[in-house]
Amino acid sequence: MPLKELFEKDWQELESEGVLFSSLEKLVAWGRSNSLWPATFGLACCAIEMMSSTDGRNDLARFGSEVFRASPRQADVMIVAGRLSKKMAPVMRRVYDQMPDPKWVISMGACASSGGMFNNYAIVQNVDSVVPVDIFVPGCPPRPEALIYAVMQLQKKVRGEAFDQLGHQLPMVDAWTR
């Protein structure tokens, strides 16, 4: 198609011929949402379920999250899997602070989300009191499918396709926030 014809056509005609239109912001959000790299932070039995979400049956790699990073500087999602002791909380906060922006947190399991059955002096009752949590995964331990669903919900949040309880659209995640 010559360039002159390209500018003379209406955008609906071009879309019907397979030309896509989008903003750079949406393109970056789409790329970012399909390449979420989680930092491994398995603390208890939920970590076994987190590991099994990458096996052949569940295959978290279908959603762009197959690379579990051991270095926080290469990860943008922290999956807190299991109970968090008060002794381990400063370490987790340090790992979170070392992650580059933008970064997200998934709290996996009843122990990470609410302390679970461990209502004592040694366990943090909510990971949200240490780092800001974006997605909570219920269960004790949650199934690998629940973690995959949480990753899918986080992808929607990153792309700006998430809604709150009242049906209002949540804003897209800003590209560079500090």
Side-chain angles (χ1 to χ4, degrees):
M1 172 183 320
L3 193 59
K4 185 178 179 185
E5 288 181 24
L6 183 69
F7 288 113
E8 290 176 353
K9 288 189 174 184
D10 192 30
W11 67 273
Q12 283 102 358
E13 294 174 333
L14 290 172
E15 278 188 344
S16 67
E17 292 180 12
V19 178
L20 296 176
F21 291 93
S22 182
S23 66
L24 182 62
E25 186 177 79
K26 286 185 180 180
L27 184 66
V28 169
W30 173 82
R32 183 176 289 137
S33 70
N34 289 315
S35 63
L36 296 172
W37 288 2
T40 54
F41 208 83
L43 298 168
C45 49
C46 291
I48 302 298
E49 298 295 324
M50 178 178 68
M51 288 183 254
S52 68
S53 68
T54 60
D55 66 3
R57 176 179 294 240
N58 298 303
D59 196 17
L60 191 61
R62 293 177 292 165
F63 305 100
S65 296
E66 71 270 7
V67 184
F68 274 84
R69 308 311 295 184
S71 169
R73 290 179 175 85
Q74 298 173 351
D76 51 6
V77 177
M78 176 187 281
I79 301 174
V80 182
R83 63 186 180 273
L84 177 67
S85 66
K86 291 188 179 178
K87 198 173 189 179
M88 194 66 173
V91 176
M92 188 185 77
R93 181 63 197 201
R94 184 178 308 133
V95 169
Y96 176 79
D97 289 338
Q98 290 176 352
M99 291 170 58
D101 286 331
K103 52 191 166 189
W104 301 279
V105 178
I106 296 175
S107 175
M108 181 178 178
C111 295
S113 300
S114 65
M117 64 184 122
F118 303 102
N119 190 8
N120 61 24
Y121 66 93
I123 302 298
V124 175
Q125 292 303 307
N126 188 355
V127 173
D128 204 20
S129 63
V130 180
V131 294
V133 175
D134 296 292
I135 306 288
F136 290 94
V137 183
C140 182
R143 301 267 311 144
E145 294 87 1
L147 178 61
I148 291 173
Y149 181 73
V151 169
M152 291 169 54
Q153 295 305 310
L154 185 61
Q155 286 176 333
K156 285 182 181 180
K157 186 174 184 179
V158 171
R159 284 193 302 261
E161 298 173 358
F163 295 90
D164 64 2
Q165 294 87 357
L166 301 175
H168 300 111
Q169 186 172 5
L170 296 174
M172 190 183 320
V173 176
D174 290 330
W176 308 107
T177 57
R178 287 217 177 230

